[in-house]
Amino acid sequence: MRKIKIYQVDAFTDKLFSGNPAAVCILESWLSDDLMQSIANENNLAETAFVVPEGDDFFIRWFTPSVEVDLCGHATLASAYVIFNMTGYKAQQIRFHSMKSGLLTVSRKEDILFLDFPSDVLLTSDEDKPLIEKCIGIRPIEVYKGKTDYLAVVDNETAVRNLVPNLNEINRLNARGLIVTAEGDDADFVSRFFAPQSGVDEDPVTGSAHTSLIPFWWSKKGRMNMKALQLSKRGGNILCEYRNDRCIIGGKAKLYLTGEINTA
């Protein structure tokens, strides 16, 4: 019987039972795609990351319960936490290679981990305002389309916090998901993220969505460094830095459990 070590980590939080939980499997070699998808489905978390070491670097893939995705921030943060804290890794930076998003690095400064991800490019999509209004029940001020997601801007933090998504309408969008954002009361900006297309009705904290949010809010505020809050029930705090074609996305993480998967 083959056993696979598994870790579950709450990402973008400094306390358990908040932030975004992700499963992490550190492998010696790749499993079959079907087996990785089955494990992710069994875990029933927003993301399960699979990591294979190669030399001093690592290769990474991410699976929701239903599909493999091109990029995931919180599961990359969780994977880095496991490598830094559970494997004896001594360097201060981890280099992850991904199939669809290229080189991703994670560095640590004390107990904060910083993701270095490619910035998204947003195109105005105001003609889709009626479509997005059906999805969130309120008229957006602005609508944009990025590489994988729609981004809708609404009036204020209260509007983001109180909106009730129409998941059936969101599921019909030709996108990975929908980001809804506004200027924050205490943070620079707030957001929520919905992706029923990927098997995640509402994601607790979405690192990859901040590759769209950081360039957008930099264009509005003109500040390279910002603090963000994701307004899910679990909630999450994100440190943000805009570096033109790259976004630095920082947060803490907490280990919830370790275990073994029996694959036969």
Side-chain angles (χ1 to χ4, degrees):
M1 179 181 294
R2 183 175 184 180
K3 294 181 181 292
I4 299 168
K5 194 79 170 180
I6 186 170
Y7 305 85
Q8 187 171 321
V9 176
D10 290 340
F12 293 110
T13 182
D14 60 358
K15 58 184 179 180
L16 288 175
F17 314 118
S18 61
N20 202 352
V24 178
C25 297
I26 308 293
L27 309 172
E28 294 180 358
S29 60
W30 290 114
L31 308 174
S32 70
D33 289 4
D34 287 345
L35 180 54
M36 289 190 287
Q37 187 64 73
S38 294
I39 291 170
N41 179 263
E42 189 77 6
N43 290 338
N44 198 30
L45 298 169
E47 302 285 348
T48 297
F50 297 90
V51 178
V52 174
E54 184 165 313
D56 294 330
D57 292 358
F58 299 84
F59 282 78
I60 189 167
R61 295 171 69 180
W62 311 273
F63 289 77
T64 77
S66 58
V67 297
E68 183 175 7
V69 297
D70 293 348
L71 181 66
C72 177
H74 84 278
T76 305
L77 191 85
S79 299
Y81 178 91
V82 169
I83 293 168
F84 279 131
N85 294 283
M86 310 301 292
T87 69
Y89 187 83
K90 299 301 184 185
Q92 295 300 304
Q93 185 182 81
I94 298 170
R95 290 165 53 90
F96 289 110
H97 299 270
S98 65
M99 292 190 297
K100 297 291 183 66
S101 298
L103 176 65
L104 310 168
T105 64
V106 185
S107 57
R108 63 177 170 179
K109 184 176 182 181
E110 298 177 346
D111 59 346
I112 302 177
L113 302 179
F114 293 93
L115 308 172
D116 184 337
F117 277 14
S119 298
D120 195 12
V121 177
L122 297 172
L123 299 176
T124 302
S125 190
D126 283 345
E127 68 275 9
D128 290 321
K129 282 183 179 179
L131 183 65
I132 301 303
E133 185 175 3
K134 290 182 181 179
C135 295
I136 59 176
I138 53 178
R139 184 77 171 180
I141 300 169
E142 301 171 75
V143 174
Y144 298 85
K145 183 74 180 293
K147 180 181 179 182
T148 59
D149 303 318
Y150 276 98
L151 186 148
V153 185
V154 297
D155 286 325
N156 50 47
E157 179 173 320
T158 299
V160 177
R161 190 183 297 276
N162 292 340
L163 73 84
V164 178
N166 185 324
L167 296 174
N168 288 330
E169 290 294 338
I170 295 173
N171 193 47
R172 295 190 180 101
L173 294 176
N174 182 24
R176 179 188 67 158
L178 171 62
I179 308 163
V180 183
T181 188
E183 189 168 7
D185 296 336
D186 297 314
D188 288 289
F189 62 88
V190 298
S191 67
R192 291 172 69 186
F193 181 70
F194 309 98
Q197 304 93 313
S198 301
V200 182
D201 287 348
E202 180 169 2
D203 198 33
V205 194
T206 316
S208 59
H210 285 75
T211 65
S212 304
L213 288 161
I214 292 170
F216 173 78
W217 284 108
W218 169 80
S219 72
K220 296 291 187 181
K221 291 176 170 287
R223 290 210 298 274
M224 308 292 278
N225 293 280
M226 295 174 284
K227 293 182 179 180
L229 177 65
Q230 194 151 332
L231 297 175
S232 64
K233 288 183 179 180
R234 291 175 64 96
N237 296 289
I238 306 99
L239 299 175
C240 306
E241 182 179 349
Y242 178 65
R243 293 184 181 175
N244 297 309
D245 63 338
R246 307 294 293 184
C247 290
I248 307 302
I249 304 163
K252 298 182 179 181
K254 294 289 286 187
L255 179 68
Y256 171 63
L257 66 79
T258 61
E260 287 183 335
I261 298 170
N262 299 314
T263 60

